[in-house]
Each structure stands twice: as structure tokens, then as C-alpha cells.
Coordinates of all heavy atoms in Angstrom, one line a residue:
V533 N 0.9 -1.2 0.0 CA 0.0 0.0 0.0 C 0.9 1.2 0.0 O 1.8 1.3 0.8 CB -0.9 0.0 1.3 CG1 -1.7 1.3 1.3 CG2 -1.8 -1.2 1.2
S534 N 0.6 2.1 -0.9 CA 1.4 3.3 -1.1 C 0.5 4.6 -1.0 O -0.1 5.0 -2.0 CB 2.2 3.3 -2.4 OG 2.8 4.5 -2.6
P535 N 0.4 5.2 0.2 CA -0.5 6.4 0.3 C 0.3 7.7 0.0 O 1.4 7.8 0.3 CB -0.9 6.4 1.8 CG 0.3 5.7 2.5 CD 0.9 4.8 1.5
Q536 N -0.5 8.7 -0.5 CA 0.0 10.0 -0.8 C -1.1 11.0 -0.2 O -2.2 10.9 -0.7 CB 0.3 10.3 -2.2 CG 1.4 9.4 -2.8 CD 1.7 9.6 -4.3 OE1 0.8 10.2 -4.9 NE2 2.8 9.2 -4.8
V537 N -0.6 11.9 0.6 CA -1.6 12.8 1.2 C -1.1 14.3 0.8 O 0.0 14.6 1.0 CB -1.6 12.7 2.7 CG1 -2.5 13.7 3.4 CG2 -2.0 11.3 3.2
N538 N -2.1 15.0 0.4 CA -1.9 16.4 0.1 C -2.9 17.2 0.9 O -4.0 17.4 0.5 CB -2.0 16.7 -1.4 CG -1.7 18.2 -1.7 OD1 -1.9 19.1 -0.9 ND2 -1.1 18.4 -2.9
D539 N -2.4 17.6 2.1 CA -3.4 18.3 3.0 C -3.9 19.7 2.4 O -5.0 20.0 2.6 CB -2.6 18.6 4.3 CG -3.6 18.9 5.5 OD1 -4.7 18.4 5.5 OD2 -3.2 19.8 6.3
A540 N -3.0 20.4 1.7 CA -3.4 21.7 1.1 C -4.5 21.5 0.1 O -5.4 22.4 0.0 CB -2.1 22.3 0.5
Q541 N -4.4 20.4 -0.7 CA -5.5 20.2 -1.7 C -6.5 19.3 -1.2 O -7.5 18.9 -1.9 CB -4.9 19.7 -2.9 CG -3.9 20.7 -3.6 CD -3.4 20.1 -4.9 OE1 -3.6 18.9 -5.3 NE2 -2.7 20.9 -5.7
S542 N -6.4 18.8 0.0 CA -7.4 17.9 0.7 C -7.6 16.6 -0.2 O -8.8 16.2 -0.5 CB -8.8 18.6 0.9 OG -8.6 19.7 1.8
T543 N -6.5 16.0 -0.6 CA -6.6 14.8 -1.3 C -5.7 13.7 -0.7 O -4.7 14.0 -0.1 CB -6.1 15.0 -2.8 OG1 -4.7 15.4 -2.8 CG2 -6.9 16.0 -3.5
V544 N -6.3 12.5 -0.8 CA -5.5 11.3 -0.4 C -5.6 10.3 -1.5 O -6.7 10.0 -2.0 CB -6.1 10.6 0.9 CG1 -5.4 9.4 1.2 CG2 -6.0 11.7 2.0
S545 N -4.4 9.8 -1.9 CA -4.4 8.8 -3.0 C -3.7 7.6 -2.4 O -2.6 7.7 -1.9 CB -3.6 9.4 -4.2 OG -3.4 8.4 -5.2
V546 N -4.3 6.4 -2.6 CA -3.8 5.1 -2.1 C -3.6 4.2 -3.3 O -4.6 3.9 -3.9 CB -4.6 4.5 -1.0 CG1 -4.0 3.2 -0.5 CG2 -4.7 5.5 0.2
E547 N -2.4 3.7 -3.5 CA -2.2 2.7 -4.5 C -1.9 1.4 -3.8 O -1.0 1.3 -2.9 CB -1.0 3.2 -5.3 CG -0.7 2.4 -6.6 CD 0.4 3.1 -7.4 OE1 0.0 4.0 -8.3 OE2 1.5 2.8 -7.2
F548 N -2.6 0.3 -4.2 CA -2.3 -1.0 -3.5 C -2.1 -2.1 -4.6 O -2.5 -2.0 -5.7 CB -3.5 -1.4 -2.6 CG -4.7 -1.8 -3.3 CD1 -5.1 -3.1 -3.5 CD2 -5.6 -0.8 -3.7 CE1 -6.2 -3.5 -4.2 CE2 -6.8 -1.2 -4.4 CZ -7.1 -2.5 -4.6
T549 N -1.3 -3.0 -4.2 CA -0.9 -4.1 -5.0 C -1.6 -5.4 -4.5 O -1.2 -5.9 -3.5 CB 0.6 -4.3 -5.1 OG1 1.2 -3.1 -5.4 CG2 1.0 -5.4 -6.1
P550 N -2.5 -6.0 -5.3 CA -3.0 -7.3 -5.0 C -1.9 -8.4 -4.9 O -0.9 -8.2 -5.6 CB -4.0 -7.6 -6.1 CG -4.3 -6.3 -6.8 CD -3.0 -5.5 -6.6
T551 N -2.2 -9.4 -4.2 CA -1.2 -10.5 -4.0 C -0.8 -11.2 -5.3 O 0.3 -11.6 -5.5 CB -1.6 -11.5 -2.9 OG1 -2.9 -12.0 -3.3 CG2 -1.7 -10.9 -1.6
I552 N -1.8 -11.4 -6.2 CA -1.6 -12.1 -7.5 C -2.3 -11.3 -8.6 O -3.3 -10.6 -8.3 CB -2.0 -13.6 -7.4 CG1 -3.5 -13.7 -7.1 CG2 -1.2 -14.4 -6.5 CD1 -4.1 -15.1 -7.2
P553 N -1.9 -11.5 -9.8 CA -2.5 -10.8 -10.9 C -4.0 -11.1 -11.2 O -4.7 -10.3 -11.8 CB -1.7 -11.1 -12.1 CG -0.4 -11.5 -11.6 CD -0.7 -12.2 -10.2
H554 N -4.5 -12.2 -10.7 CA -5.9 -12.5 -10.8 C -6.7 -12.6 -9.5 O -7.6 -13.3 -9.4 CB -6.0 -13.9 -11.6 CG -5.6 -13.8 -13.0 ND1 -4.2 -13.8 -13.4 CD2 -6.3 -13.8 -14.2 CE1 -4.2 -13.7 -14.7 NE2 -5.4 -13.7 -15.2
C555 N -6.2 -11.8 -8.5 CA -6.8 -11.8 -7.2 C -8.3 -11.5 -7.3 O -8.7 -10.4 -7.7 CB -6.0 -10.8 -6.3 SG -6.7 -10.7 -4.6
S556 N -9.1 -12.4 -6.8 CA -10.5 -12.2 -6.9 C -11.0 -11.2 -5.8 O -12.1 -10.8 -5.8 CB -11.2 -13.5 -6.7 OG -11.0 -14.1 -5.5
M557 N -10.2 -10.9 -4.9 CA -10.5 -10.1 -3.7 C -10.1 -8.6 -3.9 O -10.2 -7.8 -3.1 CB -9.9 -10.6 -2.5 CG -10.2 -12.1 -2.1 SD -12.0 -12.2 -1.7 CE -11.9 -11.6 0.0
A558 N -9.5 -8.3 -5.1 CA -9.0 -6.9 -5.3 C -10.1 -5.8 -5.1 O -9.7 -4.8 -4.5 CB -8.4 -6.8 -6.7
T559 N -11.2 -6.0 -5.6 CA -12.3 -5.0 -5.4 C -12.7 -4.9 -3.9 O -12.8 -3.8 -3.4 CB -13.5 -5.4 -6.2 OG1 -13.1 -5.5 -7.6 CG2 -14.6 -4.3 -6.1
L560 N -12.7 -6.0 -3.2 CA -13.1 -6.0 -1.8 C -11.9 -5.3 -1.0 O -12.2 -4.5 -0.1 CB -13.3 -7.4 -1.2 CG -13.6 -7.5 0.3 CD1 -14.8 -6.7 0.6 CD2 -13.7 -8.9 0.7
I561 N -10.7 -5.6 -1.3 CA -9.6 -4.9 -0.7 C -9.6 -3.4 -0.9 O -9.5 -2.7 0.1 CB -8.3 -5.5 -1.2 CG1 -8.1 -7.0 -0.7 CG2 -7.1 -4.7 -0.7 CD1 -7.0 -7.8 -1.5
G562 N -9.8 -3.0 -2.1 CA -9.9 -1.6 -2.4 C -11.0 -0.9 -1.7 O -10.9 0.2 -1.2
L563 N -12.2 -1.6 -1.7 CA -13.4 -1.0 -1.0 C -13.1 -0.9 0.5 O -13.5 0.1 1.1 CB -14.6 -1.9 -1.3 CG -15.9 -1.4 -0.7 CD1 -16.3 0.0 -1.3 CD2 -17.0 -2.4 -1.0
S564 N -12.5 -1.9 1.0 CA -12.1 -1.8 2.5 C -11.2 -0.7 2.8 O -11.4 0.0 3.8 CB -11.5 -3.2 2.9 OG -12.4 -4.2 2.8
I565 N -10.2 -0.5 1.9 CA -9.3 0.7 2.1 C -10.0 2.0 2.0 O -9.9 2.9 2.9 CB -8.1 0.6 1.1 CG1 -7.2 -0.6 1.3 CG2 -7.3 1.9 1.1 CD1 -6.2 -0.8 0.2
K566 N -10.9 2.1 1.1 CA -11.7 3.3 0.9 C -12.6 3.6 2.1 O -12.7 4.7 2.5 CB -12.5 3.2 -0.4 CG -13.1 4.5 -0.8 CD -13.4 4.5 -2.3 CE -13.6 6.0 -2.8 NZ -13.5 6.1 -4.2
V567 N -13.3 2.5 2.6 CA -14.2 2.7 3.7 C -13.4 3.1 5.0 O -13.8 4.0 5.7 CB -15.0 1.4 4.0 CG1 -15.7 1.4 5.3 CG2 -16.0 1.2 2.9
K568 N -12.2 2.5 5.2 CA -11.4 2.8 6.3 C -11.0 4.3 6.3 O -11.1 5.0 7.3 CB -10.2 2.0 6.4 CG -9.2 2.3 7.5 CD -9.8 2.0 8.9 CE -8.9 2.1 10.0 NZ -9.5 1.8 11.3
L569 N -10.6 4.8 5.1 CA -10.3 6.2 4.9 C -11.5 7.1 5.1 O -11.4 8.2 5.7 CB -9.7 6.4 3.5 CG -8.3 5.8 3.3 CD1 -7.9 5.9 1.9 CD2 -7.2 6.5 4.2
L570 N -12.6 6.7 4.5 CA -13.9 7.5 4.7 C -14.2 7.7 6.2 O -14.7 8.8 6.6 CB -15.0 6.9 4.0 CG -15.0 7.0 2.4 CD1 -16.1 6.1 1.8 CD2 -15.3 8.5 2.0
R571 N -14.0 6.6 6.9 CA -14.3 6.7 8.4 C -13.3 7.4 9.2 O -13.6 7.9 10.3 CB -14.5 5.2 8.9 CG -15.7 4.5 8.4 CD -15.7 3.1 8.9 NE -16.9 2.4 8.3 CZ -17.1 1.1 8.5 NH1 -16.3 0.4 9.2 NH2 -18.2 0.5 8.0
S572 N -12.1 7.5 8.7 CA -11.0 8.0 9.5 C -10.7 9.5 9.2 O -10.2 10.2 10.1 CB -9.7 7.2 9.3 OG -10.0 5.8 9.6
L573 N -10.9 9.9 8.0 CA -10.5 11.3 7.5 C -11.7 12.3 7.6 O -12.8 11.8 7.5 CB -10.0 11.2 6.1 CG -8.7 10.4 5.9 CD1 -8.4 10.3 4.4 CD2 -7.5 11.1 6.6
P574 N -11.4 13.6 7.7 CA -12.4 14.6 7.6 C -13.1 14.5 6.3 O -12.5 14.1 5.3 CB -11.7 15.9 7.9 CG -10.4 15.5 8.6 CD -10.1 14.1 8.1
E575 N -14.4 14.9 6.2 CA -15.1 14.9 5.0 C -14.5 15.7 3.8 O -14.8 15.5 2.7 CB -16.5 15.3 5.2 CG -17.4 14.3 6.0 CD -18.8 14.7 6.1 OE1 -19.3 15.4 5.2 OE2 -19.5 14.3 7.0
R576 N -13.7 16.6 4.1 CA -13.1 17.5 3.1 C -12.2 16.8 2.2 O -11.9 17.3 1.1 CB -12.4 18.7 3.7 CG -11.1 18.3 4.5 CD -10.5 19.6 5.2 NE -9.4 19.2 6.0 CZ -8.1 19.2 5.6 NH1 -7.8 19.6 4.3 NH2 -7.1 18.9 6.4
F577 N -11.7 15.7 2.5 CA -10.7 14.9 1.7 C -11.4 14.2 0.6 O -12.4 13.5 0.7 CB -9.9 14.0 2.6 CG -8.8 14.6 3.3 CD1 -9.0 15.0 4.6 CD2 -7.5 14.8 2.7 CE1 -8.0 15.6 5.3 CE2 -6.6 15.4 3.4 CZ -6.8 15.8 4.7
K578 N -10.8 14.3 -0.6 CA -11.2 13.6 -1.8 C -10.3 12.4 -1.8 O -9.1 12.5 -1.8 CB -11.0 14.4 -3.1 CG -11.5 13.7 -4.3 CD -11.2 14.6 -5.5 CE -11.7 14.0 -6.8 NZ -11.3 12.7 -7.1
L579 N -10.9 11.2 -2.0 CA -10.1 9.9 -1.9 C -10.0 9.3 -3.3 O -10.9 9.3 -4.1 CB -10.8 8.9 -1.0 CG -11.2 9.4 0.4 CD1 -11.9 8.3 1.1 CD2 -9.9 9.7 1.1
D580 N -8.8 8.8 -3.6 CA -8.5 8.0 -4.8 C -7.9 6.7 -4.4 O -6.7 6.8 -3.9 CB -7.7 8.8 -5.7 CG -7.3 8.0 -6.9 OD1 -8.1 7.2 -7.4 OD2 -6.1 8.2 -7.5
V581 N -8.5 5.6 -4.5 CA -7.9 4.3 -4.2 C -7.9 3.5 -5.5 O -8.9 3.4 -6.2 CB -8.8 3.5 -3.1 CG1 -8.2 2.1 -2.9 CG2 -8.9 4.3 -1.8
H582 N -6.7 3.1 -5.8 CA -6.5 2.3 -7.1 C -5.4 1.3 -7.0 O -4.6 1.3 -6.1 CB -6.2 3.3 -8.2 CG -5.1 4.2 -8.0 ND1 -5.1 5.3 -7.3 CD2 -3.8 4.0 -8.4 CE1 -3.9 5.9 -7.3 NE2 -3.1 5.1 -7.9
I583 N -5.5 0.3 -8.0 CA -4.5 -0.7 -8.0 C -3.2 -0.2 -8.7 O -3.3 0.6 -9.6 CB -5.1 -1.9 -8.9 CG1 -6.2 -2.5 -8.1 CG2 -4.0 -2.9 -9.2 CD1 -6.9 -3.6 -8.8
T584 N -2.1 -0.6 -8.2 CA -0.8 -0.3 -8.8 C -0.8 -0.7 -10.3 O -1.1 -1.9 -10.6 CB 0.4 -1.0 -8.1 OG1 0.3 -0.7 -6.7 CG2 1.7 -0.6 -8.6
P585 N -0.5 0.2 -11.2 CA -0.5 -0.1 -12.6 C 0.3 -1.4 -13.0 O 1.4 -1.5 -12.5 CB 0.1 1.1 -13.3 CG -0.2 2.2 -12.3 CD -0.1 1.6 -11.0
G586 N -0.4 -2.2 -13.8 CA 0.3 -3.4 -14.3 C 0.4 -4.6 -13.3 O 1.0 -5.6 -13.6
T587 N -0.4 -4.5 -12.2 CA -0.3 -5.6 -11.2 C -1.5 -6.5 -11.1 O -1.6 -7.4 -10.3 CB 0.0 -5.1 -9.8 OG1 -1.0 -4.2 -9.4 CG2 1.3 -4.3 -9.8
H588 N -2.6 -6.2 -11.9 CA -3.8 -7.0 -11.8 C -4.4 -7.1 -13.2 O -4.4 -6.2 -14.0 CB -4.8 -6.4 -10.9 CG -5.9 -7.3 -10.5 ND1 -7.1 -7.4 -11.2 CD2 -6.1 -8.2 -9.4 CE1 -7.9 -8.3 -10.7 NE2 -7.3 -8.8 -9.6
A589 N -4.9 -8.3 -13.5 CA -5.5 -8.5 -14.8 C -6.7 -7.6 -15.1 O -7.0 -7.2 -16.2 CB -5.9 -10.0 -14.9
S590 N -7.5 -7.3 -14.1 CA -8.7 -6.5 -14.3 C -8.5 -5.1 -13.7 O -9.5 -4.5 -13.2 CB -9.9 -7.2 -13.7 OG -10.1 -8.4 -14.3
E591 N -7.3 -4.6 -13.7 CA -7.0 -3.3 -13.1 C -7.9 -2.2 -13.5 O -8.5 -1.5 -12.6 CB -5.5 -3.0 -13.5 CG -5.1 -1.6 -13.2 CD -3.8 -1.3 -13.9 OE1 -3.0 -2.3 -14.1 OE2 -3.5 -0.1 -14.1
H592 N -8.2 -2.1 -14.8 CA -9.0 -0.9 -15.2 C -10.4 -1.1 -14.7 O -11.0 0.0 -14.2 CB -9.0 -0.9 -16.7 CG -9.9 0.2 -17.3 ND1 -9.6 1.5 -17.3 CD2 -11.1 0.1 -17.9 CE1 -10.6 2.2 -17.8 NE2 -11.5 1.4 -18.2
A593 N -11.0 -2.2 -14.7 CA -12.4 -2.4 -14.2 C -12.5 -2.2 -12.7 O -13.4 -1.5 -12.2 CB -12.9 -3.8 -14.6
V594 N -11.5 -2.7 -12.0 CA -11.5 -2.5 -10.5 C -11.4 -1.0 -10.2 O -12.1 -0.5 -9.4 CB -10.5 -3.4 -9.8 CG1 -10.4 -3.0 -8.3 CG2 -10.7 -4.8 -10.0
N595 N -10.4 -0.4 -10.9 CA -10.2 1.0 -10.6 C -11.5 1.9 -10.9 O -11.8 2.8 -10.2 CB -9.0 1.6 -11.4 CG -7.7 1.1 -10.8 OD1 -7.7 0.7 -9.6 ND2 -6.7 1.2 -11.6
K596 N -12.1 1.5 -12.0 CA -13.4 2.2 -12.4 C -14.5 2.0 -11.3 O -15.1 3.0 -11.0 CB -13.8 1.7 -13.7 CG -15.0 2.4 -14.3 CD -15.4 1.9 -15.7 CE -16.5 2.6 -16.3 NZ -16.9 2.2 -17.6
Q597 N -14.6 0.8 -10.8 CA -15.5 0.6 -9.7 C -15.2 1.4 -8.5 O -16.1 2.0 -7.9 CB -15.6 -0.9 -9.4 CG -16.3 -1.7 -10.4 CD -16.3 -3.2 -10.0 OE1 -15.4 -3.7 -9.3 NE2 -17.4 -3.9 -10.3
L598 N -14.0 1.4 -8.1 CA -13.6 2.1 -6.9 C -13.7 3.6 -7.0 O -13.9 4.3 -6.0 CB -12.2 1.7 -6.5 CG -11.9 0.3 -6.1 CD1 -10.4 0.0 -5.9 CD2 -12.7 0.0 -4.8
A599 N -13.6 4.1 -8.2 CA -13.7 5.6 -8.4 C -15.1 6.1 -8.6 O -15.4 7.3 -8.5 CB -12.9 6.0 -9.7
D600 N -16.1 5.2 -8.8 CA -17.5 5.5 -9.0 C -18.2 5.7 -7.7 O -18.5 4.7 -7.0 CB -18.1 4.4 -9.9 CG -19.5 4.8 -10.3 OD1 -20.3 5.5 -9.6 OD2 -19.9 4.3 -11.4
K601 N -18.5 6.9 -7.3 CA -19.1 7.2 -6.0 C -20.4 6.4 -5.9 O -20.8 6.0 -4.8 CB -19.4 8.7 -5.8 CG -18.1 9.5 -5.6 CD -18.5 11.0 -5.4 CE -17.2 11.8 -5.2 NZ -17.6 13.2 -5.0
E602 N -21.2 6.4 -6.9 CA -22.5 5.7 -6.9 C -22.4 4.2 -6.6 O -23.1 3.6 -5.9 CB -23.4 6.0 -8.1 CG -23.8 7.4 -8.2 CD -24.6 7.7 -9.4 OE1 -25.0 6.7 -10.2 OE2 -25.0 8.9 -9.7
R603 N -21.4 3.6 -7.3 CA -21.2 2.2 -7.1 C -20.7 1.8 -5.7 O -21.1 0.9 -5.0 CB -20.1 1.6 -8.1 CG -20.7 1.4 -9.5 CD -19.6 0.7 -10.3 NE -20.1 0.3 -11.6 CZ -19.4 -0.3 -12.5 NH1 -18.1 -0.5 -12.3 NH2 -20.0 -0.6 -13.7
V604 N -19.8 2.7 -5.1 CA -19.3 2.5 -3.8 C -20.5 2.7 -2.8 O -20.7 1.9 -1.9 CB -18.2 3.5 -3.5 CG1 -17.8 3.5 -2.0 CG2 -16.9 3.2 -4.3
A605 N -21.3 3.7 -3.0 CA -22.4 3.9 -2.1 C -23.4 2.8 -2.2 O -23.9 2.3 -1.1 CB -23.2 5.2 -2.5
A606 N -23.7 2.2 -3.4 CA -24.6 1.1 -3.5 C -24.0 -0.1 -2.8 O -24.7 -0.9 -2.2 CB -24.8 0.8 -5.0
A607 N -22.7 -0.3 -2.9 CA -22.0 -1.5 -2.3 C -22.2 -1.4 -0.8 O -22.4 -2.4 -0.1 CB -20.6 -1.5 -2.7
L608 N -22.1 -0.2 -0.3 CA -22.1 0.0 1.2 C -23.6 0.0 1.7 O -23.8 -0.2 2.9 CB -21.5 1.3 1.6 CG -20.0 1.4 1.3 CD1 -19.4 2.7 1.7 CD2 -19.2 0.2 1.9
E609 N -24.6 0.0 0.8 CA -25.9 -0.2 1.2 C -26.3 -1.7 1.3 O -27.4 -2.0 1.9 CB -26.9 0.5 0.2 CG -26.8 2.0 0.3 CD -27.7 2.7 -0.7 OE1 -28.4 2.1 -1.5 OE2 -27.7 4.0 -0.7
N610 N -25.5 -2.5 0.7 CA -25.7 -3.9 0.8 C -25.2 -4.5 2.1 O -24.1 -4.4 2.4 CB -24.9 -4.6 -0.4 CG -25.0 -6.1 -0.4 OD1 -25.0 -6.8 0.6 ND2 -25.1 -6.6 -1.6
S611 N -26.2 -4.9 2.9 CA -25.8 -5.2 4.3 C -24.8 -6.4 4.4 O -23.9 -6.4 5.3 CB -27.1 -5.6 5.1 OG -27.7 -6.7 4.5
H612 N -24.9 -7.3 3.5 CA -24.0 -8.5 3.6 C -22.6 -8.0 3.2 O -21.6 -8.3 3.9 CB -24.4 -9.6 2.6 CG -23.4 -10.7 2.5 ND1 -23.2 -11.6 3.6 CD2 -22.6 -11.1 1.5 CE1 -22.2 -12.4 3.2 NE2 -21.8 -12.2 2.0
L613 N -22.4 -7.2 2.1 CA -21.1 -6.7 1.7 C -20.6 -5.8 2.8 O -19.4 -5.8 3.1 CB -21.3 -6.0 0.4 CG -20.0 -5.5 -0.2 CD1 -19.0 -6.6 -0.4 CD2 -20.2 -4.8 -1.6
L614 N -21.4 -4.9 3.4 CA -20.9 -4.1 4.5 C -20.4 -4.9 5.7 O -19.4 -4.5 6.3 CB -22.0 -3.1 4.9 CG -21.6 -2.1 6.0 CD1 -20.5 -1.2 5.5 CD2 -22.8 -1.2 6.3
E615 N -21.1 -6.0 6.0 CA -20.6 -6.8 7.0 C -19.2 -7.4 6.7 O -18.3 -7.5 7.6 CB -21.6 -8.0 7.3 CG -21.2 -8.9 8.4 CD -22.3 -10.0 8.6 OE1 -23.5 -9.7 8.4 OE2 -21.9 -11.1 9.1
V616 N -19.0 -7.8 5.5 CA -17.7 -8.4 5.0 C -16.6 -7.3 5.1 O -15.5 -7.6 5.6 CB -17.8 -8.9 3.6 CG1 -16.4 -9.4 3.1 CG2 -18.8 -10.1 3.5
V617 N -17.0 -6.1 4.7 CA -16.0 -5.0 4.8 C -15.7 -4.7 6.2 O -14.5 -4.6 6.6 CB -16.5 -3.7 4.1 CG1 -15.7 -2.5 4.5 CG2 -16.6 -3.9 2.6
N618 N -16.7 -4.7 7.1 CA -16.4 -4.5 8.5 C -15.5 -5.6 9.1 O -14.7 -5.3 10.0 CB -17.7 -4.4 9.3 CG -18.4 -3.1 9.1 OD1 -17.8 -2.1 8.7 ND2 -19.7 -3.0 9.2
Q619 N -15.7 -6.8 8.7 CA -14.9 -7.9 9.1 C -13.4 -7.7 8.7 O -12.5 -8.0 9.4 CB -15.4 -9.3 8.7 CG -16.6 -9.7 9.4 CD -17.2 -11.0 8.8 OE1 -16.7 -11.5 7.8 NE2 -18.3 -11.5 9.3
C620 N -13.3 -7.2 7.4 CA -11.9 -6.9 6.9 C -11.2 -5.8 7.8 O -10.0 -5.9 7.9 CB -12.0 -6.4 5.5 SG -12.4 -7.7 4.3
L621 N -12.0 -4.9 8.3 CA -11.4 -3.8 9.0 C -11.4 -4.0 10.5 O -10.7 -3.2 11.2 CB -12.3 -2.5 8.8 CG -12.3 -2.0 7.3 CD1 -13.3 -0.8 7.2 CD2 -11.0 -1.7 6.8
S622 N -12.0 -5.1 11.0 CA -11.9 -5.3 12.5 C -10.6 -5.7 13.0 O -9.9 -6.5 12.3 CB -13.0 -6.4 12.9 OG -12.6 -7.6 12.4
A623 N -10.2 -5.2 14.1 CA -8.9 -5.6 14.7 C -9.1 -7.0 15.3 O -10.1 -7.4 15.9 CB -8.6 -4.6 15.8
R624 N -8.1 -7.8 15.0 CA -8.1 -9.2 15.5 C -7.0 -9.3 16.6 O -5.9 -8.8 16.5 CB -7.8 -10.1 14.4 CG -8.8 -9.9 13.3 CD -9.1 -11.2 12.6 NE -10.3 -10.9 11.7 CZ -10.4 -11.4 10.5 NH1 -9.5 -12.2 10.0 NH2 -11.5 -11.1 9.8
S625 N -7.3 -10.1 17.6 CA -6.4 -10.2 18.7 C -5.6 -11.5 18.6 O -5.9 -12.4 17.8 CB -7.0 -10.1 20.1 OG -8.2 -10.9 20.1

């Protein structure tokens, strides 16, 4: 994970690399990162979460989904998916 923060412009950009080029969890990982940032940062920040270029077979499609505010909002309205994201973000002892 490679974050870049520009406080003056209120932007945060996070680039992440899935474990394998055909990782089926890439969208869930990206969504979890985005949700964690949404919950942690002030609302003024514009978020950009994307896959490291050239590291995933469906990089363009996943990046498009993560950049689409309506798709992200719809995903977070799905109670099952939100539960999975919350499990990804929960601290484990």
C-alpha cells in the first residue's frame, strides 16, 4: 500500500498491489481501504484508491468501480457486503 496525502489540496491517493494478478478479492480490498479512509478522515478529503498499474488482470475495471461514487455507495448499502468490509477492518487479537 502506497499512500500520498496532500493536506493543502485535501486529497488522499492510495495505490495498492493485490497479491496475485488474478486476485478475486482486489475489489473488496480496495473497497475496504476506501471505507477505512472515509471513516478516518475529515469529509473535506477527496479519496482516490486504485491498483498499482500493471499488477492485476482487471486493473481498469476494478479502478473504475472504486472511483465511481454511486457504485461505492450502492455497495455500502448492501448489508452483507458491508458486514464483510467491517470484518476486513476489524482488529483481531
